[in-house]
Amino acid sequence: MVKIFVGGLRPDVTELDLVMYISLRAQVNTIKVVRDKVTKRCKGYAFLEMTSLAEAEKAVSLLNGEEYQGQVLNIKVAEEVAPPATTYVKTNKSFQKKRPRV
C-alpha cells in the first residue's frame, strides 16, 4: 500500500465525492479526510491509500494541479515517517525500554 497526500480541498468536501473523482483515474483502497475535531469540517487535505506505487504515481501525474470543486489540487506521494528509535537500558537484572525525548 502506498499513501498519497491530497491538498487544496474545500472545507465541505466528502469522502464519497473525493474517492469517486480520484477512482476514475486510479484505484483507491482507503481514504481519510482530515477534519477539525470541533466543527467536523475538512482541514483542506486528505490521505489516500493506493494498491501500488504505479497507481499512486499515476494519480499524482494525472491529478496534481487539476481543479476540483473550484480548488487546485496538490497531490504527492506521502513520505513515510520512521518511528523513533528505542534504546534499551540495563537496570539491575533486566532490560527496560527507554523512549527518546522528542
Side-chain angles (χ1 to χ4, degrees):
M1 299 285 188
V2 179
K3 280 189 180 181
I4 63 169
F5 168 85
V6 180
L9 299 174
R10 295 171 43 114
D12 60 346
V13 72
T14 65
E15 285 85 352
L16 184 60
D17 290 340
L18 183 60
V19 81
M20 285 175 51
Y21 179 73
I22 293 176
S23 67
L24 293 174
R25 292 149 184 90
Q27 186 176 359
V28 177
N29 277 0
T30 61
I31 182 170
K32 171 66 177 157
V33 174
V34 180
R35 298 187 179 278
D36 183 86
K37 289 182 181 179
V38 177
T39 63
K40 306 295 184 206
R41 294 176 64 84
C42 176
K43 287 187 173 183
Y45 60 98
F47 291 97
L48 285 81
E49 280 190 348
M50 312 302 265
T51 55
S52 65
L53 182 59
E55 284 291 318
E57 289 174 346
K58 179 179 164 184
V60 170
S61 67
L62 291 174
L63 296 171
N64 190 33
E66 291 294 313
E67 188 173 318
Y68 175 68
Q69 294 183 350
Q71 303 285 106
V72 177
L73 293 179
N74 174 20
I75 300 180
K76 60 184 177 182
V77 176
E79 298 173 4
E80 293 294 324
V81 178
T86 303
T87 57
Y88 292 90
V89 178
K90 186 174 183 178
T91 58
N92 294 340
K93 296 178 184 175
S94 64
F95 285 93
Q96 292 180 342
K97 281 186 178 180
K98 183 177 180 182
R99 293 181 36 188
R101 293 185 182 187
V102 180

